[in-house]
Amino acid sequence: MSRILTIVNQKGGVGKTTTSINLASALAIYEKKTLLIDFDPQGNTSSGIGFRLESPNIYEVLIGQLELRSIIKQSPVLENLYIATSSPDLSGAEIELVKEYSREQKLKQALESVKNEYEYIIIDCPPSLGLLTVNALTACTDVIIPIQCEYYALEGVSQLLTTIKLIKKSLNPNLNIQGVLLTMFDKRLNLALQVAKEVRRYFQEKVFSTIIHRNIKITEAPSFGQTIFHYDIKSVGAKDYLEFAKEVISR
């Protein structure tokens, strides 16, 4: 049975997409068959590993036109990595599904036919708490919350935790917060150290031991349509995400 991990934080710019891409890739490197689902209409996860934002994609699956299996593509560079791409069309799905029965469970239903074929399924959410994110939280087994070590790091976190609690109560009783990941950490800055301390105080043992350090190579890699491992395997970012994947596997 696969573990379905949703990477979520309604605050933008926290390293959510970067984490989705590089966690999925690291798991594949560790020979874990992994499906990466780009569930953000911006499609940055898709383009960030070299796929075009074109049909067919997860939008057609969500509105019931296609089966999920039919749109899954294999990574040309990682044997164990597969992706369900996105496109801007997905932004219309929230409106189109408003009157649909069980609209919060469309992704969960779509995953039923393929989930046992993968050890890990990683879902990258949009920076909001709308219907797409609710679908992702309803479909997953675990949540990973990236939090950047910068100003306003905990802004909106209480709202996110309330949403998770409500979904656990009404839609997904098995939903679990696997952990909180500190991103964009710069040990030279007192602010980063203070934020890390505050996040650990707030979430306690839920904070992952691994920290993702601020690294220019991580920000450059997506512009070349590459994961950090193909862009610069020797970089700090690559080492951090390999270590993080180990921790996810161990949990």
Side-chain angles (χ1 to χ4, degrees):
M1 183 176 177
S2 64
R3 290 173 63 190
I4 305 174
L5 310 178
T6 288
I7 316 297
V8 63
N9 190 331
Q10 79 271 29
K11 190 173 184 292
V14 300
K16 181 172 51 60
T17 295
T18 298
T19 295
S20 299
I21 291 172
N22 293 308
L23 172 59
S25 300
L27 290 168
I29 289 170
Y30 287 131
E31 300 184 342
K32 305 294 183 183
K33 190 176 180 183
T34 303
L35 172 61
L36 175 59
I37 296 179
D38 187 352
F39 216 49
D40 185 344
Q42 296 178 82
N44 291 334
T45 293
S46 303
S47 61
I49 54 175
F51 287 94
R52 293 182 178 179
L53 308 186
E54 58 187 12
S55 295
N57 57 64
I58 197 68
Y59 165 71
E60 284 91 345
V61 174
L62 202 64
I63 63 172
Q65 289 184 355
L66 293 173
E67 294 291 322
L68 179 56
R69 187 186 308 279
S70 70
I71 66 126
I72 293 173
K73 304 175 178 73
Q74 184 172 11
S75 165
V77 293
L78 280 173
E79 181 182 355
N80 292 299
L81 181 62
Y82 298 78
I83 182 168
T85 59
S86 178
S87 81
D89 292 337
L90 187 58
S91 60
E94 296 200 64
I95 298 172
E96 294 177 55
L97 293 176
V98 163
K99 295 182 180 179
E100 289 280 334
Y101 177 73
S102 298
R103 59 185 178 272
E104 303 91 350
Q105 302 193 41
K106 295 299 181 182
L107 180 59
K108 181 178 180 180
Q109 293 165 0
L111 283 170
E112 283 298 320
S113 62
V114 302
K115 67 180 183 180
N116 292 327
E117 298 174 19
Y118 300 92
E119 290 183 72
Y120 287 89
I121 297 174
I122 309 296
I123 306 171
D124 180 32
C125 289
S128 72
L129 293 177
L131 185 57
L132 292 176
T133 298
V134 170
N135 261 267
L137 292 173
T138 302
C140 72
T141 55
D142 299 275
V143 174
I144 293 175
I145 305 171
I147 294 181
Q148 84 285 20
C149 296
E150 296 178 353
Y151 284 114
Y152 307 121
L154 292 171
E155 184 182 57
V157 167
S158 61
Q159 184 183 2
L160 173 60
L161 295 178
T162 298
T163 300
I164 292 172
K165 185 177 179 180
L166 289 171
I167 290 174
K168 183 178 177 69
K169 182 179 179 180
S170 59
L171 294 167
N172 185 0
N174 297 317
L175 184 60
N176 171 61
I177 297 178
Q178 189 186 58
V180 173
L181 176 66
L182 292 168
T183 65
M184 305 179 192
F185 180 78
D186 188 338
K187 63 182 180 181
R188 299 169 298 178
L189 302 178
N190 285 333
L191 174 63
L193 296 169
Q194 291 168 6
V195 169
K197 183 178 179 180
E198 180 66 14
V199 171
R200 288 193 179 101
R201 185 191 67 79
Y202 191 90
F203 287 100
Q204 300 180 18
E205 75 281 354
K206 286 290 185 183
V207 181
F208 287 102
S209 298
T210 306
I211 293 176
I212 308 301
H213 294 80
R214 183 173 287 283
N215 177 236
I216 189 64
K217 299 295 184 179
I218 289 179
T219 58
E220 289 175 349
S223 64
F224 292 89
Q226 296 180 344
T227 72
I228 187 59
F229 310 110
H230 295 89
Y231 185 67
D232 189 348
I233 188 62
K234 295 181 179 179
S235 66
V236 171
K239 293 175 183 176
D240 285 347
Y241 275 110
L242 285 170
E243 194 62 33
F244 176 51
K246 277 185 186 178
E247 193 172 354
V248 168
I249 291 168
S250 70
R251 286 196 179 192

